Amino acid sequence: MISLSTHSQSATRGIAGGQARANRRPHDIEEIISLILRWGVLISAAVVAVGVVLLLVTGSTGRAPLVFVPGRLLPDLGQGPTGPREAIRGLVPPQPYSIIALGLMLLILTPIVRVAASMVVFLRDRDRAYTVITFLVLVVLTVSFFLGAGAH
Amino acid sequence: MTALLFVLCLVAVSGVAGLIGSIMGLGGGIIVIPFLTLVLGVPIRLALGASIVSVIATSSGAASSYVADRLTNLRVGMFLELGTTTGAVTGALLAGLVPTRGLYLLFGLLLIYSAYSLFQRRQQELPGPVEPDRFSRRLNLRGEYYDQALGQRISYRATCALPALATMYGAGIASGLLGIGSGVFKVLAMDGLMRLPMKVSTATSNFMIGVTAAASAGVYFARGDVNPLLAGPVALGVLLGARVGAHLMTRLRNTFLRKAFIPILLYIAVEMLLRGIRG
């Protein structure tokens, strides 16, 4: 058992869920998942921010100027991109619109990458039950994606 | 000038949504959607598209801290994700086949009952000793975290894994059919059924909502409902709010979280009952 309350917080962080087995691993699953989420968020936020700043500086989405009706806060939004290819077709030369869309796609991908990575870690740790569970979640995610894509 | 004001407005309101959502384990749609549709006059389709992005941002933005702090129970989260994702698919298949009016009433009443049971346990800081059932023990559903508000390490064990999985399946169907976020049900199932500490329940719900939302985000994207001009600033605001929320939450008491959850539950319950009554 782990002694209570004597640890500093940074020391207690090293103890993975009280499992002695996880102690010896240089990269336990919490560390890996936390890293994936942190970097996924940082990268996508940076890309979105670049796009938004560019949008404000140029006053144009790169496809159409930002038009505001007097007295209203909402600009003319136009049509959203339909599908990833349409969204990023304006990356060369860079359009604010497509840069933001790219950042959003990275943001959406982050949780999916997280599930896939945890499956790999469970597999590495020979944790059969959780390898199967995360695999099933990935399958369902894929099915739901295609169901939705086919339904419209 | 108007463009700057527009972006700042979106970032500010989404920041509040991210802050509250990350602390409570919810997606923040209850703030983002009314603001976009009622205040800005955004078409509901685009508001829903921006909201799904805000759910993912709330989740990933706060979860990196919660996972590192061991507040998120990864096993509980991944196990329950089985229920929410399959439920969401079922809900999508059933959409249009099942009359939703009765469901709104049913879930509205269910949430009012849940609010009442939360109110009864409003003074309960920790769940106390829990004797897990065999299945929960086999799945190794337990954990430990350092509680900054209490200043001590808390170890806990979860029970009722199968009933919770079934509840998650039902919640997944409901969110697929009724277009409501399922964060509320996740928190309720983990707090009430599995008897996890409230903080672990909201942090684990926060962890899970990102995956459920990512599954449907592809659909919204394909339909052209994710407009970068709206969803971009919303994502930035939510990410900032969620970072702040993740830092605040670790210092809050479980009883505070539970009490703060009650009015949110009642708000959603009333909204659903009204939709059910109006038809």
Side-chain angles (χ1 to χ4, degrees), chain A residues 36 110-122 134 138 141:
Chain A
I36 289 174
T110 304
I112 299 171
V113 172
R114 184 272 277 172
V115 177
S118 32
M119 188 185 79
V120 173
V121 178
F122 283 131
T134 39
L138 266 183
L141 281 178

Side-chain angles (χ1 to χ4, degrees), chain B residues 72 85 218 268:
Chain B
T72 307
T85 48
I268 302 174

Side-chain angles (χ1 to χ4, degrees), chain A residues 2 12-13 28 30 34 41 48 68 72-73 75 77 81 100 107 114 118 122 127 130 133 141 144-145 147-148, chain B residues 3 6 40 56 60 64 67 69-70 75 78 81 89 139 141 144 153 207 211 215 218-219 221 224 226-228:
Chain A
I2 296 144
T12 53
R13 274 188 187 185
D28 57 31
E30 279 88 356
S34 179
V41 163
V48 171
F68 285 90
R72 284 195 67 191
L73 198 55
L77 291 170
I100 301 174
L107 188 66
R114 184 272 277 172
S118 32
F122 283 131
D127 190 332
Y130 281 90
I133 288 173
L141 281 178
S144 81
F145 193 85
L147 266 182
Chain B
F6 166 70
L40 290 184
I56 299 172
S60 299
S64 58
V67 171
D69 288 344
R70 305 294 194 263
R75 285 167 190 274
M78 289 175 188
E81 270 163 15
V89 172
L139 284 172
L141 299 179
E144 271 189 347
R153 284 193 73 76
F207 180 72
V211 169
V219 181
F221 222 103
V226 181
N227 191 310

Side-chain angles (χ1 to χ4, degrees), chain B:
Chain B
M1 194 56 224
T2 334
L4 184 64
L5 192 66
F6 166 70
V7 167
L8 286 181
C9 228
L10 281 181
V11 170
V13 173
S14 316
V16 175
L19 181 84
I20 296 177
S22 60
I23 291 175
M24 295 293 160
L26 311 173
I30 51 168
I31 294 172
V32 170
I33 297 173
F35 173 74
L36 289 180
T37 53
L38 301 177
V39 180
L40 290 184
V42 173
I44 183 73
R45 248 175 23 119
L46 297 185
L48 287 172
S51 159
I52 205 89
V53 169
S54 95
V55 177
I56 299 172
T58 309
S59 176
S60 299
S64 58
S65 297
Y66 291 156
V67 171
D69 288 344
R70 305 294 194 263
L71 271 175
T72 307
N73 191 312
L74 293 180
R75 285 167 190 274
V76 170
M78 289 175 188
F79 172 67
L80 293 183
E81 270 163 15
L82 263 184
T84 49
T85 48
T86 42
V89 172
T90 314
L93 289 174
L94 288 176
L97 300 174
V98 181
T100 52
R101 194 172 169 181
L103 280 174
Y104 275 121
L105 290 174
L106 178 75
F107 278 95
L109 291 174
L110 211 71
L111 288 182
I112 287 187
Y113 173 75
S114 309
Y116 171 71
S117 93
L118 274 186
F119 181 76
Q120 281 185 317
R121 290 183 291 122
R122 67 192 177 282
Q123 304 296 1
Q124 194 186 70
E125 179 63 33
L126 291 167
V130 173
E131 194 45 53
D133 55 273
R134 252 182 55 208
F135 190 66
S136 309
R137 213 174 299 147
R138 256 194 77 187
L139 284 172
N140 199 14
L141 299 179
R142 58 197 173 82
E144 271 189 347
Y145 72 99
Y146 179 82
D147 197 310
Q148 287 191 43
L150 301 174
Q152 57 174 335
R153 284 193 73 76
I154 306 293
S155 50
Y156 60 87
R157 295 195 289 180
T159 184
C160 286
L162 272 182
L165 184 69
T167 309
M168 288 300 93
Y169 181 67
I173 294 181
S175 64
L177 267 180
L178 307 178
I180 48 164
S182 55
V184 185
F185 299 106
K186 292 181 174 117
V187 175
L188 286 174
M190 282 183 274
D191 175 65
L193 275 176
M194 301 184 85
R195 308 206 47 213
L196 299 174
M198 190 66 180
K199 272 184 188 181
V200 176
S201 303
T202 62
T204 307
S205 170
N206 168 270
F207 180 72
M208 290 163 65
I209 53 176
V211 169
T212 328
S216 37
V219 181
Y220 285 91
F221 222 103
R223 280 202 300 241
D225 292 355
V226 181
N227 191 310
L229 300 185
L230 277 179
V234 165
L236 287 182
V238 167
L239 286 173
L240 285 173
R243 300 283 325 144
V244 178
H247 280 280
L248 274 178
M249 193 273 247
T250 52
R251 291 168 182 78
L252 297 173
R253 284 186 177 265
N254 288 312
T255 45
F256 174 85
L257 288 178
R258 197 175 277 120
K259 283 176 200 156
F261 207 75
I262 296 173
I264 299 178
L265 266 187
L266 288 176
Y267 171 78
I268 302 174
V270 168
E271 206 186 44
M272 293 179 85
L273 287 176
L274 283 178
R275 273 200 246 181
I277 292 165
R278 288 193 197 125

